[in-house]
Amino acid sequence: MIVKLNHQDKQIAKEIQQIQQAAYRVEAQLMGFDGIPQLYEKVSEIQKSTETFAGYSEEQLQGVISFQIDEGILAIHRLVVSPTYFRKGIGKRLVEYLLEHYKGYEFVVSTGTANKPAIALYTAYGFQEQRLIEVAPGIHCTQYSLSN
């Protein structure tokens, strides 16, 4: 089940942090880059975030998506699934949740260019590559967008 999360609650913020650190460690390995900011984000920083958070859980939190809306653009800031639950369709469900509940927005998201599973997920929903961003020497992210 997907529900909005109160990330200002310390326990929920801690659960978000644990999932995102585990998920971003996997992405860091794929990219060969450990400078992903969310790897080092503190619970207090998550609590102060202005993003909207939604989570997928069955008895425990298994995946999280966060986003911000500004002038008709919905920017996905993080989509993380606990590695224990990789390949179970949780990322798909979280993307579908946004697409169903926020019709009429343009969606944008960036992911590591080496993160083939994330790219496959976004392109399966029709996201189109927009531009390549060099985040560190030799390390790239790709930005995607979708008009919904």
Side-chain angles (χ1 to χ4, degrees):
M1 174 166 58
I2 297 173
V3 296
K4 284 195 176 173
L5 299 174
N6 176 9
H7 64 282
Q8 295 168 336
D9 177 276
K10 189 173 185 173
Q11 182 57 41
I12 292 172
K14 188 174 184 171
E15 291 176 39
I16 291 169
Q17 181 199 44
Q18 290 170 344
I19 290 171
Q20 80 179 19
Q21 283 180 343
Y24 283 121
R25 273 196 290 281
V26 173
E27 185 169 15
Q29 289 175 341
L30 290 171
M31 293 175 65
F33 176 68
D34 66 355
I36 300 170
Q38 290 88 349
L39 273 173
Y40 308 101
E41 193 172 32
K42 297 179 176 134
V43 170
S44 62
E45 292 172 308
I46 293 169
Q47 288 178 283
K48 292 175 189 170
S49 175
T50 58
E51 298 164 30
T52 299
F53 287 76
Y56 178 87
S57 62
E58 287 182 11
E59 297 180 26
Q60 68 179 29
L61 192 59
Q62 298 173 5
V64 175
I65 196 164
S66 75
F67 60 95
Q68 288 183 306
I69 297 174
D70 186 30
E71 297 183 14
I73 297 173
L74 186 150
I76 299 171
H77 287 269
R78 61 188 100 203
L79 171 57
V80 291
V81 175
S82 171
T84 305
Y85 299 101
F86 278 3
R87 303 270 182 220
K88 305 259 189 237
I90 294 168
K92 264 180 78 168
R93 289 185 191 115
L94 289 164
V95 170
E96 288 169 358
Y97 170 84
L98 288 187
L99 295 175
E100 290 171 12
H101 288 85
Y102 296 92
K103 292 185 185 298
Y105 289 96
E106 179 179 352
F107 289 77
V108 295
V109 66
S110 293
T111 190
T113 304
N115 189 343
K116 301 303 180 204
I119 291 169
L121 173 65
Y122 294 123
T123 57
Y125 286 98
F127 281 77
Q128 299 292 311
E129 184 175 328
Q130 296 303 309
R131 65 186 178 123
L132 198 61
I133 304 160
E134 189 171 36
V135 296
I139 306 297
H140 295 90
C141 285
T142 305
Q143 185 179 61
Y144 293 85
S145 70
L146 173 69
S147 294
N148 188 19

